Coordinates of all heavy atoms in Angstrom, one line a residue:
L270 N 1.6 -7.8 -42.3 CA 1.8 -9.1 -43.0 C 0.9 -9.5 -43.9 O 1.0 -10.1 -44.9 CB 2.2 -10.1 -42.0 CG 2.5 -11.5 -42.4 CD1 3.9 -11.6 -42.9 CD2 2.3 -12.4 -41.1
V271 N -0.5 -9.1 -43.5 CA -1.6 -9.7 -44.3 C -1.7 -9.1 -45.8 O -2.3 -9.6 -46.7 CB -3.0 -9.5 -43.6 CG1 -3.1 -10.1 -42.2 CG2 -3.3 -8.0 -43.5
E272 N -1.0 -8.0 -45.9 CA -1.0 -7.3 -47.2 C -0.3 -8.3 -48.3 O -0.6 -8.0 -49.4 CB -0.3 -5.9 -47.2 CG -1.1 -5.0 -46.3 CD -0.3 -3.7 -45.8 OE1 0.8 -3.5 -46.5 OE2 -0.7 -3.0 -44.8
Q273 N 0.6 -9.1 -47.8 CA 1.3 -10.0 -48.8 C 0.4 -10.9 -49.4 O 0.7 -11.5 -50.4 CB 2.3 -10.6 -48.1 CG 3.5 -9.8 -47.6 CD 4.6 -10.4 -46.9 OE1 4.7 -11.6 -47.2 NE2 5.4 -9.7 -46.2
L274 N -0.9 -11.1 -48.9 CA -1.8 -12.0 -49.7 C -2.2 -11.5 -50.9 O -2.8 -12.1 -51.8 CB -3.0 -12.3 -48.8 CG -2.7 -13.1 -47.4 CD1 -3.9 -13.2 -46.6 CD2 -2.2 -14.5 -47.8
G275 N -2.2 -10.2 -51.1 CA -2.6 -9.6 -52.3 C -4.1 -9.4 -52.5 O -4.7 -9.1 -53.5
A276 N -4.9 -9.8 -51.4 CA -6.3 -9.6 -51.3 C -6.7 -8.3 -51.1 O -6.0 -7.5 -50.5 CB -6.8 -10.6 -50.3
A277 N -8.1 -8.1 -51.3 CA -8.6 -6.8 -51.1 C -8.6 -6.4 -49.6 O -8.8 -7.5 -48.9 CB -9.9 -6.6 -51.6
L278 N -8.4 -5.2 -49.1 CA -8.5 -5.0 -47.7 C -9.7 -4.2 -47.4 O -10.1 -3.3 -48.2 CB -7.3 -4.3 -47.3 CG -5.8 -5.0 -47.6 CD1 -4.7 -4.0 -47.2 CD2 -5.7 -6.3 -46.8
G279 N -10.2 -4.5 -46.2 CA -11.3 -3.6 -45.6 C -10.8 -2.5 -44.8 O -9.6 -2.2 -44.8
S280 N -11.6 -2.1 -43.9 CA -11.1 -0.9 -43.0 C -10.2 -1.5 -42.1 O -10.1 -2.7 -41.8 CB -12.4 -0.3 -42.2 OG -12.9 -1.4 -41.4
L281 N -9.1 -0.6 -41.6 CA -8.1 -0.9 -40.8 C -7.2 -2.0 -41.2 O -6.7 -2.7 -40.5 CB -8.7 -1.3 -39.3 CG -9.7 -0.2 -38.8 CD1 -10.3 -0.7 -37.4 CD2 -8.9 1.1 -38.5
G282 N -7.0 -2.1 -42.6 CA -6.1 -2.9 -43.2 C -6.4 -4.4 -43.0 O -5.4 -5.3 -43.1
R283 N -7.7 -4.7 -42.7 CA -8.0 -6.1 -42.6 C -8.4 -6.8 -43.8 O -8.9 -6.3 -44.8 CB -9.2 -6.3 -41.6 CG -8.9 -5.8 -40.2 CD -10.0 -6.0 -39.3 NE -11.0 -4.8 -39.4 CZ -12.2 -4.7 -39.0 NH1 -12.6 -5.7 -38.1 NH2 -13.0 -3.8 -39.2
V284 N -8.1 -8.1 -44.0 CA -8.3 -8.9 -45.2 C -9.8 -9.2 -45.4 O -10.4 -9.7 -44.5 CB -7.5 -10.2 -45.2 CG1 -7.8 -11.0 -46.5 CG2 -6.0 -9.9 -45.1
K285 N -10.4 -8.7 -46.5 CA -11.7 -9.0 -46.8 C -11.9 -10.6 -47.1 O -11.5 -11.0 -48.2 CB -12.3 -8.3 -48.0 CG -12.5 -6.8 -47.7 CD -13.3 -6.2 -48.8 CE -13.8 -4.8 -48.4 NZ -14.4 -4.1 -49.5
V286 N -12.5 -11.3 -46.3 CA -12.5 -12.8 -46.3 C -14.1 -13.1 -46.8 O -15.0 -12.5 -46.7 CB -12.2 -13.6 -45.0 CG1 -10.7 -13.4 -44.8 CG2 -13.1 -13.0 -43.9
E287 N -14.1 -14.4 -47.3 CA -15.4 -14.9 -47.7 C -16.2 -15.2 -46.4 O -15.6 -15.4 -45.3 CB -15.2 -16.3 -48.5 CG -14.3 -16.2 -49.6 CD -15.1 -15.7 -50.9 OE1 -16.3 -15.2 -50.9 OE2 -14.5 -15.8 -51.9
P288 N -17.5 -15.4 -46.5 CA -18.1 -15.8 -45.1 C -17.7 -17.1 -44.6 O -17.8 -17.3 -43.5 CB -19.6 -16.0 -45.7 CG -19.8 -15.1 -46.9 CD -18.4 -15.2 -47.6
S289 N -17.0 -18.0 -45.4 CA -16.4 -19.1 -44.9 C -14.9 -18.9 -44.3 O -14.4 -19.8 -43.7 CB -16.1 -20.1 -46.1 OG -15.3 -19.4 -47.0
L290 N -14.5 -17.6 -44.3 CA -13.3 -17.2 -43.8 C -12.0 -17.5 -44.6 O -10.9 -17.2 -44.3 CB -13.1 -17.7 -42.2 CG -14.3 -17.3 -41.4 CD1 -13.9 -18.0 -39.9 CD2 -14.4 -15.8 -41.1
Q291 N -12.4 -17.9 -45.8 CA -11.3 -18.1 -46.8 C -11.0 -16.8 -47.6 O -11.8 -15.9 -47.7 CB -11.6 -19.2 -47.8 CG -11.7 -20.5 -47.2 CD -12.6 -21.5 -48.0 OE1 -13.8 -21.2 -48.3 NE2 -12.0 -22.6 -48.4
V292 N -9.7 -16.7 -48.0 CA -9.3 -15.6 -48.8 C -9.8 -15.9 -50.3 O -9.7 -16.9 -50.8 CB -7.8 -15.5 -48.9 CG1 -7.4 -14.4 -49.8 CG2 -7.2 -15.2 -47.5
P293 N -10.6 -14.8 -50.8 CA -11.1 -15.2 -52.2 C -10.0 -15.6 -53.3 O -8.9 -15.0 -53.2 CB -11.6 -13.6 -52.6 CG -11.9 -13.0 -51.2 CD -10.8 -13.6 -50.3
G294 N -10.2 -16.6 -53.9 CA -9.2 -17.2 -54.9 C -8.2 -18.1 -54.2 O -7.4 -18.6 -54.9
H295 N -8.2 -18.2 -52.9 CA -7.3 -19.0 -52.2 C -8.1 -19.8 -51.1 O -8.1 -19.7 -50.0 CB -6.2 -18.2 -51.4 CG -5.3 -17.7 -52.4 ND1 -4.2 -18.6 -53.0 CD2 -5.0 -16.6 -52.9 CE1 -3.4 -17.8 -53.8 NE2 -3.9 -16.5 -53.8
P296 N -8.8 -21.0 -51.7 CA -9.6 -21.7 -50.6 C -8.7 -22.4 -49.7 O -9.2 -22.9 -48.6 CB -10.2 -22.7 -51.6 CG -9.5 -22.8 -52.9 CD -8.9 -21.4 -53.1
E297 N -7.3 -22.5 -49.9 CA -6.4 -23.1 -48.8 C -5.9 -22.1 -47.8 O -5.1 -22.4 -47.0 CB -5.1 -23.7 -49.6 CG -4.1 -22.8 -50.0 CD -4.5 -21.9 -51.3 OE1 -5.7 -22.0 -51.7 OE2 -3.6 -21.2 -51.8
I298 N -6.4 -20.8 -47.8 CA -6.0 -19.9 -46.8 C -7.2 -19.3 -46.1 O -8.1 -18.8 -46.7 CB -5.1 -18.7 -47.4 CG1 -3.9 -19.3 -48.3 CG2 -4.6 -17.7 -46.5 CD1 -3.2 -18.2 -48.9
Y299 N -7.1 -19.4 -44.8 CA -8.1 -18.8 -43.9 C -7.5 -17.7 -43.1 O -6.4 -17.7 -42.7 CB -8.7 -19.8 -42.9 CG -9.5 -20.9 -43.5 CD1 -8.9 -22.0 -44.2 CD2 -10.8 -20.9 -43.4 CE1 -9.7 -23.0 -44.7 CE2 -11.7 -21.9 -44.0 CZ -11.0 -22.9 -44.6 OH -12.0 -23.9 -45.1
V300 N -8.3 -16.5 -43.0 CA -7.8 -15.4 -42.1 C -8.8 -15.2 -41.0 O -10.1 -15.2 -41.4 CB -7.5 -14.1 -42.9 CG1 -7.0 -13.0 -42.0 CG2 -6.7 -14.3 -44.1
I301 N -8.3 -15.2 -39.8 CA -9.3 -15.1 -38.6 C -9.0 -14.0 -37.8 O -7.8 -13.6 -37.8 CB -9.6 -16.5 -38.0 CG1 -8.3 -16.8 -37.3 CG2 -10.2 -17.5 -39.0 CD1 -8.3 -18.1 -36.4
G302 N -9.8 -13.6 -36.9 CA -9.5 -12.6 -35.8 C -9.3 -11.3 -36.3 O -9.9 -10.7 -37.2
D303 N -8.5 -10.5 -35.6 CA -8.2 -9.1 -35.7 C -7.7 -8.8 -37.2 O -7.7 -7.7 -37.8 CB -7.2 -8.5 -34.8 CG -7.8 -8.1 -33.5 OD1 -9.0 -8.6 -33.3 OD2 -7.1 -7.7 -32.6
A304 N -7.3 -9.9 -37.9 CA -6.7 -9.6 -39.2 C -7.7 -9.8 -40.3 O -7.4 -9.3 -41.5 CB -5.5 -10.7 -39.6
A305 N -8.8 -10.3 -39.9 CA -9.9 -10.5 -41.0 C -11.1 -9.5 -40.9 O -11.3 -8.9 -39.9 CB -10.5 -11.9 -40.8
Y306 N -11.5 -9.1 -42.2 CA -12.6 -8.2 -42.3 C -13.9 -8.9 -42.7 O -13.9 -9.6 -43.8 CB -12.3 -7.1 -43.3 CG -13.4 -6.1 -43.4 CD1 -13.5 -4.9 -42.7 CD2 -14.4 -6.3 -44.3 CE1 -14.5 -4.0 -42.7 CE2 -15.5 -5.3 -44.5 CZ -15.6 -4.2 -43.7 OH -16.5 -3.4 -43.9

Side-chain angles (χ1 to χ4, degrees):
L270 180 71
V271 300
E272 291 163 19
Q273 296 184 18
L274 291 172
L278 301 180
S280 63
L281 306 174
R283 294 179 284 174
V284 178
K285 282 190 169 175
V286 289
E287 306 276 11
S289 59
L290 305 176
Q291 289 158 305
V292 174
H295 284 286
E297 76 287 6
I298 303 180
Y299 288 80
V300 184
I301 60 173
D303 282 2
Y306 178 92

